[in-house]
Amino acid sequence: MRLTELLEGIEYECLHGSLDVEVKDIVNDSRKVSEGALFFCIKGAVVDGHQYAAEVVEKGAAVLIVQEPVEVPESVTVIQVKDSRLAMAYISAAYYGHPAKKLKVIGVTGTKGKTTTTYMIKSILEAAGYKVGLIGTIQTIIGNEVIPAENTTPESSTVQQYFRKMVDEGCDFAVMEVSSQGLMLHRTAGVRFEIGVFTNLQPDHIGPAEHHSFEEYMACKSLLFRQCRLGIVNVDDPYVDGILEGHTCEVEKIGFSEQADFRATNVRMVSGPGYLGVHYTVDGKRKMEVDVDIPGKFSVYNSLTAIAVCSHFGVTDQSIQEALKKEKVKGRIELIKVSDKFTVMLDYAHNAMSLESLLTTLREYHPHRLICLFGCGGNRDKNRRYQMGEVSGRLADLSIITSDNPRFENPEDIIEDILIGIRKTDGKYVKITDRKEAMAWAIHHGEPGDIIVMAGKGHETYQEIRGVKYPMDERVLIREILEEDRKGE
């Protein structure tokens, strides 16, 4: 593709070289540069792509997009822009033929619930006969291709590449999680969302490498509602007004409030042997009964949001009901059949906020005992360990403290930090460092009516120790435990 075509609509200065260049590839990773490529010099939090200018030119890069001058031969085309990330978003869209214009793109933002909500939307639309691609925290799904995720919202060049693949696969919709980082770093710049969704907001992702303040975090989330046609928001969330500040879209509201356009009423928690779910009535712009095989109030919010979104695309009540009844999300309150006497579930809750929300929700089902098995990651803020320990000690009847991803720390040291938090409470606990042994102990000591939560890993299928990721899928471990039990009978 000609460089002049890629630069249409972008403000730039050609520092040297020719604009009459054929671009054979676009790349923002110096390791992937090939002959004739255009390379984006991105200033990241850790690495500055400008440092690799000379290296990528040696590999054959024909064009560099920069924010500041670089020292390369005069024959190389160097295009200076104000923001190379923003330029990357627009150039990538042009390079892949503006694929988002050929899709109905639905973006979901919020602190919690993004993953489950996107999967619910995808499931309902597919039940109605549409073909849907998905980009999210766990994976990207395009037709039969499943691509493991590195970021909740990938870099803009990858987003546009995925959109292109979706169009080529005949997709009608692209449903994606849109993170605050993704919005701040222009990863979805230039995409006109058909619908933007706001689930909820809580203090999170605030720190040196993320957002400087909660206000900045909220402001970044709010950007989605300046690039969508319709915004669907949780009216019950205390920060909804801040999210909608400066919005340019139409707005619909979901929630329990009388102000909601799609309102949940008659909510009832449903439980049985090895099963937890919720039933409720949708009122307002749509009237129907709904059963969701995922427990808790937040499941009502997630499913109600999905219903509101899909109501704009002629989806029948039957399609919605069937899709929500069967939808499961890996590692998000994922029920694992172990016994008819007690319930075992896996969840990704890996900080105090998400763990408190999860345990509070499960308390609503009045278990005989609520048992929480968890650990904390190494080389991370120690406060998370104290806080998670205190939350589990306060809300669980029994905490089983074990290893998570110790990384370069000693697992025993991490566990001792967790115990500092637990000991602030009256909560009972046991310490079993090996995670499989801890899981086996929990299963073998389960009592009728117990809910056993194995938290922190969720969809992850590895354990990181000393810089190496070893295979470790809790689903596989549970199968091994049960098989070992059968052989030992």
Side-chain angles (χ1 to χ4, degrees), residues 257-359:
S257 167
E258 288 292 329
Q259 301 174 44
D261 299 295
F262 291 81
R263 187 168 63 257
T265 61
N266 304 320
V267 177
R268 178 165 47 88
M269 305 301 166
V270 183
S271 62
Y275 169 81
L276 300 174
V278 64
H279 173 91
Y280 68 95
T281 303
V282 181
D283 211 341
K285 287 190 173 182
R286 190 151 199 158
K287 299 182 186 299
M288 59 185 294
E289 300 294 315
V290 176
D291 287 290
V292 185
D293 288 359
I294 305 173
K297 190 176 179 180
F298 49 77
S299 292
V300 176
Y301 279 114
N302 295 339
S303 56
L304 188 61
T305 300
I307 291 168
V309 169
C310 296
S311 291
H312 290 273
F313 305 109
V315 178
T316 65
D317 289 0
Q318 183 178 355
S319 292
I320 291 171
Q321 289 163 334
E322 289 178 355
L324 291 178
K325 187 71 178 148
K326 68 181 183 182
E327 182 55 39
K328 305 289 187 297
V329 182
K330 186 176 182 180
R332 300 304 195 271
I333 314 190
E334 180 183 356
L335 297 175
I336 304 293
K337 182 65 173 178
V338 170
S339 168
D340 288 332
K341 296 179 180 179
F342 54 85
T343 302
V344 174
M345 67 175 60
L346 310 181
D347 193 81
Y348 187 52
H350 60 288
N351 58 36
M353 179 178 62
S354 56
L355 188 63
E356 179 154 11
S357 175
L358 173 64
L359 297 180

Side-chain angles (χ1 to χ4, degrees), residues 10-13 65-67 79-84 87:
I10 296 175
E11 291 186 13
Y12 66 90
E13 180 183 356
I65 304 294
V66 303
Q67 285 181 219
I79 304 296
Q80 185 170 7
V81 294
K82 185 177 180 181
D83 186 329
S84 52

Side-chain angles (χ1 to χ4, degrees), residues 202-215:
Q202 294 180 10
D204 199 11
H205 300 293
I206 299 167
E210 296 184 279
H211 298 287
H212 297 302
S213 65
F214 177 73
E215 288 70 26

Side-chain angles (χ1 to χ4, degrees), residues 384-441:
R384 175 176 292 189
R385 305 169 191 177
Y386 309 146
Q387 293 164 359
M388 288 186 71
E390 188 169 353
V391 165
S392 187
R394 176 165 46 86
L395 293 176
D397 296 297
L398 175 65
S399 299
I400 304 173
I401 312 306
T402 187
S403 185
D404 193 292
N405 290 324
R407 299 186 176 90
F408 290 93
E409 286 194 68
N410 184 332
E412 296 290 344
D413 294 339
I414 298 171
I415 289 172
E416 284 305 312
D417 287 337
I418 296 171
L419 293 179
I420 290 173
I422 285 190
R423 288 169 183 148
K424 292 181 180 179
T425 74
D426 296 326
K428 297 177 181 178
Y429 67 88
V430 295
K431 184 188 86 167
I432 305 174
T433 305
D434 182 273
R435 195 166 185 109
K436 182 179 178 181
E437 289 181 16
M439 293 168 67
W441 192 94

Side-chain angles (χ1 to χ4, degrees), residues 16-61:
H16 53 73
S18 172
L19 292 176
D20 188 26
V21 179
E22 184 72 19
V23 173
K24 297 180 180 178
D25 194 10
I26 58 172
V27 187
N28 69 301
D29 185 336
S30 62
R31 296 166 295 184
K32 298 179 181 178
V33 170
S34 57
E35 193 71 30
L38 178 153
F39 179 71
F40 299 100
C41 294
I42 303 295
K43 293 178 76 73
V46 178
V47 178
D48 184 351
H50 293 78
Q51 297 174 355
Y52 298 94
E55 178 186 321
V56 299
V57 167
E58 285 183 13
K59 290 181 176 180

